[in-house]
Amino acid sequence: MTTDTRVGPPHFGSERDTLRAFLDYQRATLAMKCEGLTDEELRQRSMPPSTLSLLGLVRHMAEVERTWFRRCFEDNDAPMVWSDKIDFQAAYDASASTRAEAFGAWETEVENSRRIEREAASLDVAGHQPRWGEDVSLRMVMVHVLLEYGRHNGHADFLREGVDGTVGA
């Protein structure tokens, strides 16, 4: 990994600014964990029978971003990126994927999520979560996605260490 260029959250800020900054920090952490690796290294699996890899995590987080922002606030019927049904596990199998494919989809979904958040009048704006069949606030969605990144960035720490021994931040 190269120099850490992530921007940390403000020490004092509004709830929205703080959530936005923490989410962007976690997004930058996932990208940093994948930095400098080849497609083959990004596809390296943790251990059999798991299909978990860094590239699989990027693909999974593209699905998470799409499901929680696009499907909740814009298009409840937007298709998943890597499955015909709501199957988050399908994204983990990155055996035929490339950095360009996975990161292209993830970056597109992240930008869409940022736009949806920026355009929302408040954190209390309601979206509809089709899987649950109920409304959710933008605040809840941001916290949920932030927790997803936190959990999966922990996986990314171990995966990166397994690929080339790199540890840290």
Side-chain angles (χ1 to χ4, degrees):
M1 287 185 285
T2 61
T3 306
D4 186 353
T5 60
R6 295 172 298 171
V7 176
H11 294 152
F12 292 94
S14 70
E15 178 184 20
R16 190 170 191 164
D17 289 342
T18 302
L19 283 172
R20 180 186 293 145
F22 266 108
L23 194 48
D24 279 340
Y25 184 84
Q26 291 295 324
R27 289 168 173 150
T29 299
L30 180 58
M32 185 180 77
K33 292 294 176 184
C34 297
E35 199 170 278
L37 298 177
T38 65
D39 284 2
E40 183 178 327
E41 290 170 324
L42 289 169
R43 285 191 296 265
Q44 188 172 315
R45 293 178 175 185
S46 59
M47 67 174 58
S50 176
T51 60
L52 188 63
S53 67
L54 286 165
L55 209 54
L57 287 177
V58 172
R59 288 166 46 109
H60 175 75
M61 291 312 298
E63 296 285 34
V64 168
E65 295 270 0
R66 176 178 284 226
T67 298
W68 285 99
F69 285 94
R70 186 183 299 215
R71 287 178 55 92
C72 285
F73 295 101
E74 283 190 337
D75 179 2
N76 292 156
D77 297 319
M80 299 295 282
V81 182
W82 284 284
S83 73
D84 294 334
K85 57 186 192 282
I86 308 295
D87 179 7
F88 289 95
Q89 299 305 309
Y92 285 132
D93 184 4
S95 57
S97 190
T98 65
R99 172 190 291 276
E101 175 201 37
F103 273 86
W106 177 64
E107 289 164 357
T108 295
E109 293 306 324
V110 166
E111 286 309 311
N112 192 58
S113 298
R114 286 178 175 142
R115 179 188 53 75
I116 288 168
E117 183 273 321
R118 275 191 316 267
E119 292 175 358
S122 78
L123 293 175
D124 295 319
V125 68
H128 186 73
Q129 202 341 305
R131 267 180 87 191
W132 294 351
E134 61 185 61
D135 288 346
V136 293
S137 70
L138 177 59
R139 175 184 295 103
M140 183 272 167
V141 166
M142 291 180 76
V143 169
H144 180 85
V145 174
L146 177 61
L147 292 172
E148 282 275 331
Y149 274 104
R151 180 169 52 133
H152 293 308
N153 281 339
H155 300 140
D157 286 339
F158 288 120
L159 287 163
R160 179 64 189 247
E161 184 177 6
V163 169
D164 68 358
T166 300
V167 296

